[in-house]
Amino acid sequence: MDNVFVVGMEEHNRQVLLRTPSAEHCRFHGLLPLEELRDDKVDIEEMLAKARRILDGFDGSIDAIVGYWDFPVTLMVPILCAEYGLRSPALEAVVTCEHKYWSRLEQSKVIDEHPAFALVQLDDTEPPDLGFPMWVKPVKSASSDLAFRVEDDRDFEEALRKLREGIDRIGVPFEQILAHVDLPPEIATVGGRSCLAEAALHGVQVAVEGYVHQGEPVVYSTLDSVDYPGSPAFLCHRYPSELPEEVSRRMAEVATKAIRQVGLDNTLFSVEFFYDPVEERLDVVEINPRHSQAHAELFELVDGIPNHERMLRLALGRSPNLPAGGGEYAVAGQWFHRRFGEDGVPVRVPTDEEVRELEETLPGVSIEIVPDQGVPLTELDAQDSYSFELAKITIGAQDGVEMRAKYERCVEGMRFEFDTD
């Protein structure tokens, strides 16, 4: 049996891992609690030291260290793998992807499909000459945290005010990671507590997922990301994409060039795009040097195997190539039921019995209630700057119409109540 250590493993994804074909010859061990890794004042060196103590005290072989979460998991895995002689992407390649400014610099060397961008410092008083609207965000963030759409000079000033207040939460531990990398001068002077401004993009959001095995990038899927009307907040991620095959092919070509440029290997990846069907224009939003754990069950519903399987195969030195199709459903989506605007304290959330009844009534549906009763929504982890997640609803269906109907049935059947005083 192979001993696989999973950084930040929690119960939901443990169950997904146990449903993979590789689980037959793997034992999964949690390495560091997810809640500690998500702490507002996470100390990277302290977490690495704790992980080393656990690994050094393990009585058995250490065959793989993996992770499927964003920062800091994606960056801790290659550090630990390098120390224990295990397969993983190189830390520098992962940092290149996750440092938004460095990533843009590398992308611009090989592709034209990216927005205009500029570096912004927290003490800047004038916006860069990109034109409005633009987005301003930290050079490292997660789940669109502290990302602001800026329409004018006043918006720019307000965005920088909020960024100065909150950037240390990820900026400080990110700089601890940067200390492990021999940075080029243009990045060493930027550090981890600067910001990136980018020209606003428009169109539909879409992503390709792939892997790099023995130095060769392979794109294996395209997924659509659908926003709430009039908002940048995601309504759902849908697999497979409804875009024309020609668009998917173009995205795969652009993604492959960018992935080769940043030097990724031995990893899954996701490259997010905006596609403007009127101008037929593609723009890279960002490169993620990991697969999305949120998509694991979408692949399971459509292809019969969660994409965690590819992660395990790469880490254990086996080919990650898997067949498409073979699942119970033709289409799958992860939907997000959200509350917009003001904060609130949930005084009622759907009960376990109510959730279970919906899941039993609607085949192919699983529901995760996000907030806890009595805990303010502002205390939720990994939220965007515009809304609060109330529920994540994973749905398999035979077509998009059926999937939308199942989502609406779930929203109608879940009762939330809030105290806003």
Side-chain angles (χ1 to χ4, degrees):
M1 297 288 282
D2 292 317
N3 291 301
V4 178
F5 285 81
V6 185
V7 181
M9 183 171 67
E10 42 30 274
E11 182 58 24
H12 176 82
N13 276 289
R14 188 182 77 87
Q15 292 300 324
V16 176
L17 287 166
L18 290 173
R19 298 198 298 268
T20 62
S22 289
E24 293 183 6
H25 54 79
C26 289
R27 291 191 183 94
F28 299 111
H29 308 272
L31 184 60
L32 305 176
L34 184 60
E35 57 270 20
E36 291 185 16
L37 293 165
R38 285 181 164 176
D39 189 274
D40 282 348
K41 296 181 179 180
V42 62
D43 186 313
I44 297 297
E45 296 305 329
E46 182 181 307
M47 288 293 98
L48 287 170
K50 183 174 181 178
R52 294 181 189 110
R53 289 194 295 271
I54 294 170
L55 293 168
D56 292 344
F58 181 69
D59 185 16
S61 64
I62 300 172
D63 300 294
I65 301 173
V66 299
Y68 39 73
W69 292 106
D70 197 350
F71 183 85
V73 174
T74 43
L75 293 158
M76 293 177 64
V77 167
I79 293 175
L80 293 169
C81 284
E83 293 176 0
Y84 288 84
L86 303 172
R87 293 177 184 84
S88 81
L91 176 63
E92 181 174 333
V94 176
V95 172
T96 304
C97 294
E98 298 215 353
H99 192 294
K100 296 181 186 295
Y101 181 62
W102 194 359
S103 183
R104 286 297 190 211
L105 290 178
E106 293 303 313
Q107 292 168 39
S108 65
K109 295 175 182 178
V110 293
I111 62 173
D112 297 322
E113 292 86 352
H114 61 80
F117 65 95
L119 186 67
V120 172
Q121 301 293 355
L122 292 175
D123 58 358
D124 284 354
T125 57
E126 298 289 335
D129 187 20
L130 299 178
F132 295 114
M134 69 178 71
W135 283 88
V136 181
K137 61 191 77 171
V139 293
K140 177 59 198 158
S141 63
S143 300
S144 299
D145 185 32
L146 293 178
F148 300 100
R149 183 180 171 93
V150 171
E151 302 284 351
D152 52 31
D153 288 351
R154 179 176 293 183
D155 281 355
F156 180 77
E157 292 174 5
E158 178 63 12
L160 283 193
R161 183 188 67 79
K162 292 179 178 178
L163 283 159
R164 283 191 290 268
E165 290 176 355
I167 201 168
D168 282 357
R169 188 177 68 81
I170 289 182
V172 169
F174 187 48
E175 290 192 334
Q176 290 181 290
I177 294 287
L178 295 181
H180 288 257
V181 180
D182 184 13
L183 301 172
E186 65 270 27
I187 302 303
T189 57
V190 169
R193 284 181 282 181
S194 298
C195 300
L196 181 72
E198 298 181 326
L201 301 173
H202 55 272
V204 296
Q205 290 183 261
V206 63
V208 296
E209 282 204 5
Y211 58 79
V212 194
H213 180 51
Q214 297 178 346
E216 185 60 32
V218 175
V219 171
Y220 58 78
S221 68
T222 309
L223 303 94
D224 295 331
S225 295
V226 182
D227 289 343
Y228 274 83
S231 168
F234 288 130
L235 170 61
C236 82
H237 301 299
R238 179 176 55 212
Y239 174 65
S241 170
E242 294 184 343
L243 289 178
E245 180 61 32
E246 170 62 16
V247 179
S248 294
R249 183 191 61 78
R250 286 174 56 197
M251 287 190 295
E253 291 175 353
V254 172
T256 297
K257 291 178 183 178
I259 292 298
R260 285 188 171 130
Q261 178 63 24
V262 298
L264 281 177
D265 198 3
N266 295 314
T267 186
L268 300 180
F269 64 81
S270 170
V271 182
E272 300 175 25
F273 289 87
F274 264 99
Y275 170 61
D276 180 349
V278 177
E279 299 180 3
E280 297 187 348
R281 177 181 173 83
L282 281 174
D283 283 284
V284 171
V285 177
E286 64 182 11
I287 301 172
N288 299 304
R290 62 179 176 90
H291 73 298
S292 172
Q293 59 84 26
H295 295 165
E297 290 164 291
L298 306 189
F299 287 95
E300 185 176 19
L301 290 165
V302 175
D303 296 334
I305 301 174
N307 59 357
H308 284 358
E309 173 68 10
R310 290 185 172 93
M311 173 189 72
L312 294 171
R313 291 190 181 195
L314 279 171
L316 294 168
R318 296 194 285 269
S319 170
N321 185 39
L322 294 172
E328 187 175 350
Y329 299 94
V331 62
Q334 184 180 51
W335 295 71
F336 301 90
H337 180 36
R338 299 179 183 271
R339 175 181 172 89
F340 288 85
E342 62 182 341
D343 183 21
V345 177
V347 294
R348 187 193 191 279
V349 300
T351 66
D352 291 344
E353 291 76 14
E354 290 168 343
V355 168
R356 187 163 52 248
E357 183 177 351
L358 280 170
E359 292 175 337
E360 291 173 351
T361 303
L362 300 169
V365 170
S366 60
I367 301 169
E368 177 189 352
I369 303 300
V370 177
D372 292 322
Q373 186 169 314
V375 179
L377 295 177
T378 50
E379 296 185 17
L380 292 174
D381 290 327
Q383 301 298 299
D384 63 35
S385 299
Y386 299 91
S387 67
F388 302 101
E389 288 180 15
L390 300 183
K392 297 176 182 177
I393 309 167
T394 303
I395 303 173
Q398 298 310 324
D399 56 41
V401 173
E402 178 190 340
M403 185 166 62
R404 180 75 188 223
K406 285 182 175 179
Y407 167 72
E408 291 177 353
R409 284 277 304 276
C410 290
V411 172
E412 291 170 1
M414 294 186 296
R415 186 160 63 90
F416 292 86
E417 295 178 3
F418 301 94
D419 182 355
T420 59
D421 292 337

